[in-house]
Amino acid sequence: MTHDPNAPVIGLAVGRGTGPELADVFERVLGALTAGHPGTVTIERSPRLYHSYHSLRGESGIARIRELTAADADHYERFCRTRAERGTTAIFRTAVNAQSLYLVRERLRAVKVDLLGADGRSLLLVRDQAQGFYTGENAHAPGEITRTMTFGREITKSVVRYALRRARQEWPDGRIGRIVMAYKFHLLDGALDAWVSELAAELGVEIGLFQPDTVNRNLITHGLPDRTLLIAGNEWADIMHVMLLDRFGSDRQENRCTENVFLDPALAGLTEYQTVHGSADDIAGRGLVNPVATIRAAARVAEGHAGRTGAVEAVEKALRILEERGISTPDLGGRHSTTAVADALLDALDTPGAGTPADAALVGGS
């Protein structure tokens, strides 16, 4: 069978731990959502199985861990660049060792985007993954590590410009309640606030640059206004994500997927989708990993990159049916396996590929 050159090709990158199990879920759900639609999707899987932090710890010595970390980063960067050059607009990636990922995110100028909302209120969180402590290089001496990182004016401006474009996309009537930046700017000799002031004047917008502890106090005391665009250094945003989910009434972290958008011009806005949860190596191969975030990622890829209008809404409706039926993995208090939840989801979607009935795969037996 000849592949349609105009059909979308989606990248897939798989890490160790529960990565292979979730990659299978992604392929099944994406295939079911796009079956029978024009330009059926092809999935291009990276040939490398990337390390998790847990698998790296099993290696012998710091030098070997550094070598494998760099090798994973170099390979994944090449995979992203190659896929972008060939017209791919989206990649789904399971959890990978964070140090390798941040090397890639620095090189490709990544931002992580998460729209949070409930009860008529919303917040757009744009995490700056291209600079700061999470990026940079390590230099080793006996008993000592020196980590060197960079902040750049052009990177800062590209992150803010993208955040504003994305906010106008999410809120097309143009109303943004407030633009807040949370960075440790007092450590940067006044450079970051000078860059932000320049850009705010250039764009004709008001941007509030605050220390993270000030944003925390405001969040606790007053809350953040509806339609806050929150642009944040990863040092704070990574830690505060759970709190923001709680304050904005959104789903638990283990059920969510997010987007990483690469701002390097050569990648033309390639978007990487990921689950928010980690690699969960301790339950790998046991059929216990929660597939909900992966299912949601497949829906977003199907709708946003494969022309499957209504995929996200259809999947959310099917997930509500599963919740009503009590079909979930043990982390959510259920007794169903990963495969059983995926089977039940496909059955609720009324699409091909449902497979074995969910009740046949209870964890520990019926």
Side-chain angles (χ1 to χ4, degrees):
M1 182 176 179
T2 303
H3 170 63
D4 179 355
N6 297 315
V9 178
I10 303 301
L12 174 60
V14 185
R16 303 197 186 199
T18 56
E21 297 165 73
L22 293 175
D24 290 344
V25 170
F26 178 80
E27 289 183 309
R28 289 185 65 202
V29 175
L30 182 63
L33 287 170
T34 58
H37 289 266
T40 300
V41 168
T42 296
I43 295 177
E44 184 72 29
R45 187 185 285 230
S46 171
R48 186 180 183 92
L49 183 64
Y50 300 98
H51 277 279
S52 66
Y53 181 71
H54 180 83
S55 69
L56 280 176
R57 289 186 64 190
E59 298 293 334
S60 54
I62 293 172
R64 179 61 175 162
I65 291 175
R66 293 183 73 194
E67 176 188 348
L68 290 171
T69 295
D72 276 349
D74 291 344
H75 189 282
Y76 187 51
E77 180 187 1
R78 286 196 302 273
F79 179 71
C80 291
R81 289 190 182 277
T82 300
R83 291 268 38 98
E85 288 168 4
R86 295 178 181 175
T88 292
T89 60
I91 292 172
F92 174 68
R93 175 189 52 74
T94 70
V96 175
N97 175 43
Q99 190 174 353
S100 298
L101 284 179
Y102 278 103
L103 288 170
V104 176
R105 289 165 172 171
E106 178 182 17
R107 296 167 190 171
L108 302 185
R109 298 191 176 189
V111 291
K112 180 174 285 188
V113 184
D114 201 0
L115 180 65
L116 312 178
D119 302 324
R121 298 169 61 246
S122 59
L123 175 145
L124 180 61
L125 175 63
V126 177
R127 289 168 51 172
D128 180 354
Q129 301 179 118
Q131 55 188 349
F133 178 78
Y134 277 43
T135 60
E137 300 285 344
N138 294 333
H140 288 255
E144 182 178 275
I145 301 173
T146 301
R147 188 163 182 83
T148 304
M149 71 205 77
T150 301
F151 283 87
R153 178 173 59 189
E154 292 311 309
I155 294 174
T156 301
K157 290 187 174 183
S158 68
V159 169
V160 175
R161 287 192 183 100
Y162 173 80
L164 285 167
R165 290 197 304 272
R166 185 58 180 263
R168 289 165 181 149
Q169 175 186 330
E170 298 293 349
W171 303 313
D173 62 8
R175 184 177 67 81
I176 301 174
R178 192 178 187 190
I179 304 169
V180 174
M181 294 183 67
Y183 283 80
K184 292 296 291 183
F185 64 92
H186 285 177
L187 302 177
L188 301 175
D189 300 325
L192 186 65
D193 39 336
W195 300 339
V196 171
S197 295
E198 290 171 9
L199 184 58
E202 177 185 328
L203 298 176
V205 296
E206 183 177 341
I207 301 174
L209 178 63
F210 298 98
Q211 292 286 351
D213 60 332
T214 301
V215 178
N216 290 350
R217 285 197 301 273
N218 289 341
L219 178 65
I220 292 169
T221 306
H222 310 292
L224 294 173
D226 181 32
R227 296 197 182 189
T228 293
L229 170 58
L230 179 54
I231 307 165
N234 232 0
E235 295 83 354
W236 174 82
D238 189 19
I239 295 169
M240 287 298 294
H241 192 218
V242 174
M243 176 65 75
L244 292 170
L245 285 172
D246 178 71
R247 285 303 175 105
F248 277 80
S250 299
D251 204 355
R252 58 186 292 170
Q253 228 180 5
E254 291 82 358
N255 288 344
R256 292 184 66 81
C257 67
T258 56
E259 301 173 36
N260 301 289
V261 180
F262 298 120
L263 303 183
D264 182 323
L267 276 81
L270 177 70
T271 301
E272 175 202 74
Y273 293 83
Q274 67 162 99
T275 61
V276 176
H277 62 72
S279 57
D281 296 65
D282 57 321
I283 58 171
R286 296 169 58 192
L288 299 177
V289 61
N290 180 350
V292 171
T294 298
I295 290 166
R296 283 178 163 152
R300 288 169 69 171
V301 170
E303 182 156 341
H305 303 270
R308 176 57 167 93
T309 303
V312 171
E313 182 180 353
V315 162
E316 291 303 319
K317 180 179 178 181
L319 287 171
R320 288 193 293 271
I321 292 172
L322 265 59
E323 184 178 3
E324 291 167 3
R325 295 177 180 173
I327 298 173
S328 64
T329 45
D331 64 304
L332 298 179
R335 294 186 59 206
H336 292 79
S337 70
T338 304
T339 300
V341 173
D343 288 344
L345 183 282
L346 292 173
D347 186 54
L349 283 171
D350 193 26
T351 59
T356 308
D359 286 344
L362 291 171
V363 174
S366 58

